Structures are given as structure tokens and as C-alpha cells.
Amino acid sequence: MSAFSAAFLPTLVRRERASLAATLLAPPVALAVATVLNIGLYVLMGRDPVAVVYAMLFEPFLSWASFSEVLLKTGPLLLIAQGLAIGFRTKVFNIGAEGQFILGAIFASAIPIWFPQATGQWIWPMMLLLGVLGGVLWASITAIWRVRLNANEILVSLMLSLVAAQLLNYLLLGPWKDPNGFNFPQSVMFQYDAMVPVLIAGTRVNVSLPLTLALSIAAWLFMQKSFLGYKLQVGGLAPRAAGYAGFSEGWAIWLSLLIGGGAAGLAGAAEVAGPLGQLQRSISTGYGYAAIIVAYLGGLHPIGIIASALFMAALYIGGDNAMVSANLPIAAVRVFQGSLLLAYLIAIAFVRYRLEWHRPIYRSQP
Amino acid sequence: MNAIEFILAGMLAAATPFLLAALGELVVERAGVLNLGVEGLMAFGAVLAFIVVYHGGGHLLGFVAAGLGSAVLSLVFALIALGFRANQVATGLAIGILGQGLSALFGKTYESLTVKGLPRLALPWLSEIPLVGRLFTQDIVVWLSLAATLAIWVMFAYTKVGLVLRATGENPKAAHAIGYSVTAIRFAAVAFGGTMAGFAGAYAAVVYTPLWADGMIAGRGWIAIALVVFGTWLTGRIFLGACLFGAVSLMGLAAQATGLDVPSQVLASLPYLVTIIVLGIISADRRLLKLNGVASLGEPFER
């Protein structure tokens, strides 16, 4: 460091302990910062910032019709993020949830597409189970590559997502295309029994939401209270210590990836058996990537993730609103998501470190 | 033109976006930093270059805009990941999402518009050789990329800059102890990587397929990161890997031209499948990765 920067640049000093209040404050502060930055961008783009912020951040909560859609979007984000967070806490970076989600949707769709006449209350639960299986199988490729072949799970899981998107395209343009669908890349509409029952009449909110909430609580119990979850976390925080204590690293990686894949697969199944009612190309709207942000923004904590999933879902609905009322491209939502995560990463740095403007007296001599 | 000639003719141009981005990431990783935002940096550079060229700024200005824009975005990564010591994986992913979002946002009004590409320059003598001659008829950026590859190889093999970079990645504490600012070197490396990713995006958007479509980078940034692993952090092997991927991405087109009855989606996933397979083969040789790998890759530096 030159003398100049040593004198004028602050240094980060690790806090002895992070306060709970600061930890809880980080996400709202990050939200405020990201909002201000994005408003600046909207002004530069010549949009009315008040109209955009109103449509994006407030409108989703102001009518039951909007809010029920927020709840509907919360489901998949929450489910995927809970699964990913378990992996992230054990330092297994599965970023291929999008592909696992798509495979879940494909597996679940097999029943109504192959057996369109089938009836019975067993169909939708069976579809959800198949969805879990699809996600687990797709994630297990990443697990094999990571554990057996030592390949980086970030790259493999992401590549598999790109392959999954092509597989979906192939099915919808080829064997699974609705013959009476005017050549649209989509499957037949599913029969009534292939649909997850609606929970609140007049909305599209369905049984998968309480199921997702129950799984969130299960995730919390698993990570905080169970020995298995404890072993996973120790493995992530201190792999060497975990090794001495006899926890196998490969086993932890398998478990993390399969939980993440299963959750994403279930979310995919719930999407086709829920609001969509058919397999479409538009099932892949980036939930798998957005869930990464949801997981971090929730502090990788099962309860925090519920809050961040709700917020991120509202941002999606708000983005749709802003597209209509303020002529804002939907890509603005992605920009908001990206800047929100960046702002959060800075905010959380202040939880762990404090800035020190005066350097300690001693100087390490070069 | 048969399939082999077709692939030889197009391979280097197809390889160029991979090569430029991977060379940038090589320098970043050699300095001990893992920047996973390459896809977003490329997308951001691509849209900037397209906008400049579309409005008549010319290709040179387009590349400059792309390089500068992506460098600035990569410095945001450096500030957060290195300055604030945030998790490099999370920061890189966030930069990637932000870059892709900005690309889609700015590119919205340019969807499906086209610009003029660059003329191909034939090397005298060499380009007249039958069969392989086509290899020597390329646009100027391809030639410059080859020069850049050579320059980076020389830098790492023979210069002090290369030595300092490697020391920073291998043992930042030692580099600090002998008086180098690890943080400053890493910032510079990240900015270089960002510039190269911007150039790579620009090449994809205004030379290789001079047509704007959202998501046109299509995973190339991720493959570039994988290429650095394939090449076991060695310049020459990264170049060969980029050529392989250039050829693989053309194989789809070549297969279709010969009337092979394979669904286009299979051909489109070919580069991703090859990435997965090669990644498995290379990574399985742990000794090879350890031999050339970067010891402190992705670890924050604390004095």
C-alpha cells in the first residue's frame, strides 16, 4: 500500500461478535440502497420514478387480487431457496436449480400427458412425487461429477440447467407438443385431477403453499435441531474438523445436492400442476436463479428465507405491474435482483466488520 | 465446401469469444480471485458494443465501450468481493445476474436489429493452401486475439508482471510481505478480466452474429470459466480448449447442413454436454489440477 492509501483509505476490522440487530437490519438497508440506485436508473431511462416505485413495491400488497398472486409466486421461490440454502451453508454451491426445476416439471407432466384420461385423487400427489424424483435425478448427475470426478459443482449444475432448457424445448416442439395447440410449444391442458387443489376460492393459491411452509419449518428443524443438519454444517464450516470427526465430505455433498434438487423438482411439479395446468416453455422463468438471491438475502436462514421469498415474489408481480403502468421492461426486475444482492453483500460486510479510519500505530515494514 | 473445410474456416471466429473471456478469467484466477460473473460481463459488453455500432459509432468504438463498461462492472465485483471481503461466489453470481439484467434492459429496443460485421482479411500465401487455407482468412479481431494469447503466454512465462501475478495467487501473504499490494494487484487483474469479457461480448454481438437478441451470450461466459479449468490454468491449453469449443459449436451447423437427422436441441446442447464431460475427465486427475492450480483461489486476503 502506498502512503496515500494507507492514510486515507479505511480498513476493515473484524468485529468480535456480530450483533443480531445488525444482522436483521442488513436486508432492509440493502433494499433501501438498491431501491435508490434503481430509481436513479429509471430516471435516466426517462420513466416516472414515483409511478414505477408505486407499481413495483406497493401495488402488489394493496389488493387481494395482487397479493394472492404474490403468494402464488412465493411458493416456488421459497421451496427452491430453502433447498439451496442447506447446500450453501455446507459450502456446496448448487446453482443449477433452474434445471432441476425444469426436470421436476417434466417428470410431473409425464402422467397427465401419457394418461390424459386418468382420474382419481392420487394423480396430483403422484405428480409432486415424480417432480421430486426428477429434480433428485438431475441433481445426482452434479453429485456424481462432484464426488466421483472432483468436478466443480457450480459449472456442472449450471451447464445441466442449459441442457434441461433444451430438453424442455425438444419435448414441447416434438413428442409432447399438443397436436391441437396451433403449433404453440406447449403440451395438452391437464385433466382436473392432475391439478393441485385450490386453497383460497377465487385465487390461484393452492395447496402447495402450505406444503412449502411446512417444508420450511422442516428445513429449520433439520438444520438447527437435528444431528444430521449439525453434521452438514460442521462439514461446511470446517471440512477438516468434520473429517477428523468421521463425517464424510462426499456424503454431505450428496445430501446437499439431493435436498436442493428434490426441492427444486417439487417446485417445478407444483408449477405445472398448479397455476399453469400444462407443460409450457414459460415454466422456466429464472426461479432457479432468483432463488439463489432469495437464499442469500434471507441470510441462509430458513425463517429469513420466508421473508425474502415473499419480498422477491412481490418484486416479480410489481415488475409486471410496472411493465403495464410505467412502460418499464421486465428486465428491470433482474437488474433490481442483482443490485439487491450486491447491496446486501456490502451491508452484511458491515455486520461482520467495522471500518477503521486510523490505522494501528505499527506498520509492517516491506 | 465440405464439413471439415466449414469447421476449419469458422473455428477460430467461433472460438474467439470463448478465448477472450477465458484469457481474462485466467489472469483473474492466477491472481487468486474467482469471478463467476463472466456471463453477465460479456452480456453487458455485448449490448454496449451493439448500441454503439448500431448508432454508427464504428466497431473500434464499440469494442472500447464494451471493454470500459465491463471493466467498470467488474470493478464493482472487485470492490465488494475484495474491498468488503464478501463471498466471491455470491458476488460473482450477483454481478452475473446484474450484467444480464442490464443487457436485457438496454437491449430491449434493439431486439432483432442487425449491424454490419467485419471484413475477413486473408493472409497472403497461407490462405491459398488448399483445405487448410481457409484457416488463414479471418477478421482482424481474430488475429488480435491470437496476438493477445501469445502476449499473455509470454507475460506468464517470462515477465516480472506474470511472476508477481502468480505469486499473488499462490501465496498472497508472501507477496504482501515482500512489498506488493495484494489488493491493488487483484483489482487490476479483475479489471483486466472485465475488459476482456467485454471484448468477448462485443465480438459475439457485433462481429460473430451481428444481430441483437436477448440472451445471445448463451452460456459462453460459463464455458469460458470452465475452459480455464480445462486448460489447467495454462495459456496454451486454454487456446486449444477454445478452438475445441469453437469447433463443437460449429458441428451443430455442419451436421444440419449435411442433412443429418438430429433434433436441433441436441446440437444446441452439444457445447454444454462437452463441457460437462471434459470437466469430469480433467477434474478426475486431481494431481494435474493440483500441479497447476491456484493455491489461494477464491479465498479473501486478510493481513
Side-chain angles (χ1 to χ4, degrees), chain B residues 20-61:
Chain B
L20 287 172
L23 287 175
E25 182 70 7
L26 169 68
V27 171
V28 176
E29 291 194 13
R30 271 284 182 216
V33 183
L34 181 66
N35 182 359
L36 292 177
V38 180
E39 181 83 5
L41 294 170
M42 276 179 80
F44 189 53
V47 79
L48 293 180
F50 192 89
I51 291 173
V52 168
V53 175
Y54 185 80
H55 290 291
H59 281 76
L60 181 61
L61 205 60

Coordinates of all heavy atoms in Angstrom, one line a residue, chain B residues 20-61:
Chain B
L20 N -11.2 -15.0 -25.6 CA -11.0 -13.7 -25.0 C -11.5 -13.7 -23.5 O -10.8 -13.2 -22.6 CB -11.8 -12.6 -25.8 CG -11.2 -12.2 -27.1 CD1 -12.1 -11.3 -27.9 CD2 -9.8 -11.5 -26.9
A21 N -12.7 -14.2 -23.3 CA -13.2 -14.3 -21.9 C -12.4 -15.2 -21.0 O -12.1 -14.8 -19.9 CB -14.7 -14.7 -21.9
A22 N -11.9 -16.3 -21.6 CA -11.1 -17.2 -20.8 C -9.8 -16.7 -20.5 O -9.3 -16.9 -19.4 CB -11.0 -18.6 -21.5
L23 N -9.2 -15.9 -21.4 CA -7.9 -15.3 -21.1 C -8.0 -14.3 -20.0 O -7.1 -14.2 -19.1 CB -7.3 -14.6 -22.4 CG -6.8 -15.5 -23.5 CD1 -6.4 -14.7 -24.7 CD2 -5.6 -16.3 -23.0
G24 N -9.1 -13.6 -20.0 CA -9.3 -12.6 -18.9 C -9.5 -13.3 -17.6 O -8.9 -12.9 -16.6
E25 N -10.3 -14.4 -17.6 CA -10.5 -15.1 -16.4 C -9.3 -15.8 -15.9 O -9.0 -15.9 -14.7 CB -11.7 -16.1 -16.6 CG -12.1 -16.9 -15.3 CD -12.8 -16.1 -14.3 OE1 -13.1 -14.9 -14.5 OE2 -13.0 -16.6 -13.2
L26 N -8.4 -16.2 -16.8 CA -7.1 -16.8 -16.4 C -6.3 -15.8 -15.6 O -5.8 -16.2 -14.5 CB -6.4 -17.2 -17.7 CG -4.9 -17.6 -17.5 CD1 -4.8 -18.9 -16.7 CD2 -4.1 -17.7 -18.8
V27 N -6.2 -14.6 -16.0 CA -5.4 -13.6 -15.3 C -6.1 -13.4 -13.9 O -5.4 -13.3 -12.9 CB -5.3 -12.3 -16.1 CG1 -4.7 -11.2 -15.3 CG2 -4.5 -12.5 -17.4
V28 N -7.4 -13.3 -13.9 CA -8.1 -13.0 -12.6 C -7.8 -14.2 -11.7 O -7.5 -14.0 -10.5 CB -9.6 -12.9 -12.9 CG1 -10.4 -12.8 -11.6 CG2 -9.9 -11.7 -13.8
E29 N -7.9 -15.4 -12.2 CA -7.8 -16.6 -11.3 C -6.3 -16.8 -10.9 O -6.0 -17.2 -9.7 CB -8.3 -17.9 -11.9 CG -9.8 -17.8 -12.1 CD -10.5 -19.2 -12.4 OE1 -9.8 -20.2 -12.3 OE2 -11.7 -19.2 -12.8
R30 N -5.4 -16.4 -11.8 CA -4.0 -16.5 -11.4 C -3.7 -15.6 -10.3 O -2.8 -15.8 -9.5 CB -3.1 -16.1 -12.6 CG -2.8 -17.3 -13.5 CD -1.7 -18.1 -12.9 NE -1.3 -19.3 -13.7 CZ -0.9 -20.4 -13.2 NH1 -1.0 -20.6 -11.9 NH2 -0.6 -21.4 -14.0
A31 N -4.4 -14.5 -10.2 CA -4.2 -13.5 -9.1 C -4.9 -14.0 -7.8 O -4.9 -13.3 -6.8 CB -4.7 -12.1 -9.5
G32 N -5.6 -15.1 -7.9 CA -6.3 -15.7 -6.7 C -7.7 -15.3 -6.5 O -8.3 -15.6 -5.5
V33 N -8.3 -14.8 -7.6 CA -9.7 -14.3 -7.5 C -10.6 -15.2 -8.4 O -10.2 -15.5 -9.5 CB -9.9 -12.8 -7.8 CG1 -11.3 -12.4 -7.6 CG2 -9.0 -12.0 -7.0
L34 N -11.8 -15.6 -7.9 CA -12.7 -16.4 -8.7 C -13.9 -15.4 -9.0 O -14.7 -15.1 -8.2 CB -13.2 -17.6 -7.9 CG -14.2 -18.5 -8.7 CD1 -13.5 -19.2 -9.8 CD2 -14.8 -19.5 -7.7
N35 N -13.9 -15.0 -10.3 CA -15.0 -14.1 -10.7 C -16.0 -14.9 -11.6 O -15.7 -15.3 -12.7 CB -14.5 -12.9 -11.5 CG -15.6 -12.0 -11.9 OD1 -16.8 -12.2 -11.6 ND2 -15.2 -10.9 -12.6
L36 N -17.2 -15.3 -11.0 CA -18.1 -16.1 -11.7 C -19.1 -15.2 -12.5 O -20.1 -15.7 -13.0 CB -18.9 -16.9 -10.7 CG -18.2 -18.0 -10.0 CD1 -19.1 -18.7 -9.0 CD2 -17.6 -19.0 -11.0
G37 N -18.8 -13.9 -12.6 CA -19.8 -13.0 -13.3 C -19.5 -12.9 -14.8 O -20.1 -12.0 -15.4
V38 N -18.6 -13.7 -15.3 CA -18.2 -13.5 -16.7 C -19.4 -13.5 -17.7 O -19.4 -12.6 -18.6 CB -17.2 -14.7 -17.1 CG1 -16.8 -14.5 -18.6 CG2 -16.0 -14.7 -16.2
E39 N -20.4 -14.3 -17.5 CA -21.5 -14.4 -18.4 C -22.2 -13.0 -18.4 O -22.5 -12.5 -19.5 CB -22.5 -15.4 -17.9 CG -23.7 -15.6 -18.8 CD -23.5 -16.5 -20.0 OE1 -22.4 -17.1 -20.1 OE2 -24.5 -16.6 -20.8
G40 N -22.4 -12.4 -17.2 CA -23.0 -11.1 -17.2 C -22.1 -10.0 -17.7 O -22.6 -9.1 -18.4
L41 N -20.8 -10.1 -17.5 CA -19.9 -9.1 -18.0 C -19.9 -9.1 -19.5 O -19.9 -8.1 -20.2 CB -18.5 -9.3 -17.5 CG -18.3 -9.1 -16.0 CD1 -16.9 -9.7 -15.5 CD2 -18.4 -7.7 -15.6
M42 N -19.9 -10.3 -20.1 CA -20.0 -10.5 -21.5 C -21.3 -9.9 -22.1 O -21.3 -9.2 -23.1 CB -19.9 -12.0 -21.9 CG -18.5 -12.5 -22.0 SD -18.4 -14.2 -22.5 CE -18.7 -14.2 -24.3
A43 N -22.4 -10.2 -21.4 CA -23.7 -9.7 -21.9 C -23.7 -8.2 -21.9 O -24.2 -7.6 -22.8 CB -24.8 -10.3 -21.1
F44 N -23.2 -7.6 -20.8 CA -23.1 -6.2 -20.7 C -22.3 -5.5 -21.8 O -22.7 -4.6 -22.5 CB -22.6 -5.8 -19.3 CG -22.8 -4.3 -19.0 CD1 -24.0 -3.7 -19.1 CD2 -21.7 -3.6 -18.5 CE1 -24.1 -2.3 -18.8 CE2 -21.8 -2.3 -18.2 CZ -23.0 -1.6 -18.4
G45 N -21.1 -6.1 -22.0 CA -20.2 -5.6 -23.1 C -20.9 -5.8 -24.4 O -20.8 -4.9 -25.3
A46 N -21.6 -6.9 -24.6 CA -22.2 -7.1 -25.9 C -23.3 -6.0 -26.2 O -23.3 -5.5 -27.3 CB -22.9 -8.5 -25.9
V47 N -24.1 -5.7 -25.3 CA -25.2 -4.7 -25.5 C -24.5 -3.3 -25.8 O -25.0 -2.6 -26.7 CB -26.2 -4.7 -24.4 CG1 -25.8 -3.9 -23.2 CG2 -27.5 -4.1 -25.0
L48 N -23.5 -3.0 -25.0 CA -22.9 -1.7 -25.2 C -22.3 -1.6 -26.6 O -22.5 -0.6 -27.3 CB -21.8 -1.4 -24.2 CG -22.3 -1.3 -22.7 CD1 -21.1 -1.1 -21.8 CD2 -23.2 -0.2 -22.6
A49 N -21.6 -2.6 -27.0 CA -21.0 -2.6 -28.3 C -22.0 -2.5 -29.4 O -21.9 -1.8 -30.4 CB -20.1 -3.9 -28.6
F50 N -23.1 -3.3 -29.2 CA -24.2 -3.3 -30.3 C -24.8 -1.9 -30.4 O -25.0 -1.4 -31.5 CB -25.3 -4.3 -29.9 CG -26.2 -4.6 -31.1 CD1 -25.9 -5.5 -32.0 CD2 -27.3 -3.8 -31.2 CE1 -26.7 -5.7 -33.1 CE2 -28.2 -4.0 -32.3 CZ -27.9 -4.9 -33.3
I51 N -25.1 -1.3 -29.3 CA -25.7 0.1 -29.3 C -24.8 1.1 -30.0 O -25.2 1.8 -30.9 CB -26.0 0.5 -27.9 CG1 -27.2 -0.3 -27.3 CG2 -26.5 2.0 -27.9 CD1 -27.5 -0.1 -25.9
V52 N -23.5 1.0 -29.7 CA -22.5 2.0 -30.3 C -22.5 1.7 -31.8 O -22.6 2.7 -32.6 CB -21.2 1.9 -29.6 CG1 -20.1 2.6 -30.4 CG2 -21.2 2.4 -28.2
V53 N -22.3 0.5 -32.2 CA -22.1 0.2 -33.6 C -23.4 0.5 -34.3 O -23.4 1.0 -35.4 CB -21.7 -1.3 -33.8 CG1 -21.7 -1.6 -35.3 CG2 -20.3 -1.5 -33.2
Y54 N -24.6 0.2 -33.7 CA -25.9 0.4 -34.4 C -26.0 1.9 -34.7 O -26.6 2.3 -35.7 CB -27.0 -0.1 -33.5 CG -28.3 0.0 -34.2 CD1 -28.7 -0.9 -35.2 CD2 -29.2 1.0 -34.0 CE1 -29.9 -0.8 -35.9 CE2 -30.4 1.2 -34.6 CZ -30.8 0.2 -35.6 OH -31.9 0.3 -36.2
H55 N -25.6 2.7 -33.7 CA -25.8 4.2 -33.9 C -24.6 4.8 -34.7 O -24.4 6.0 -34.6 CB -26.0 4.9 -32.6 CG -27.3 4.5 -32.0 ND1 -28.5 5.0 -32.5 CD2 -27.7 3.8 -30.9 CE1 -29.5 4.5 -31.8 NE2 -29.0 3.8 -30.8
G56 N -23.9 3.9 -35.4 CA -22.9 4.4 -36.3 C -21.5 4.8 -35.7 O -20.7 5.5 -36.3
G57 N -21.3 4.3 -34.5 CA -20.0 4.6 -33.8 C -18.8 3.8 -34.4 O -17.7 4.2 -34.1
G58 N -19.1 2.8 -35.1 CA -18.0 2.0 -35.7 C -17.5 0.9 -34.7 O -17.8 1.0 -33.5
H59 N -16.9 -0.1 -35.2 CA -16.5 -1.3 -34.4 C -15.5 -0.9 -33.4 O -15.6 -1.4 -32.3 CB -16.0 -2.4 -35.3 CG -17.1 -3.1 -36.0 ND1 -17.8 -2.6 -37.1 CD2 -17.7 -4.3 -35.7 CE1 -18.8 -3.5 -37.4 NE2 -18.7 -4.5 -36.6
L60 N -14.5 -0.1 -33.7 CA -13.5 0.2 -32.7 C -14.1 0.8 -31.5 O -13.8 0.4 -30.3 CB -12.4 1.1 -33.4 CG -11.3 1.5 -32.4 CD1 -10.5 0.2 -32.0 CD2 -10.3 2.5 -33.1
L61 N -14.9 1.8 -31.7 CA -15.6 2.5 -30.6 C -16.5 1.5 -29.8 O -16.6 1.6 -28.6 CB -16.4 3.7 -31.1 CG -16.6 4.8 -30.1 CD1 -15.3 5.4 -29.6 CD2 -17.5 5.9 -30.7

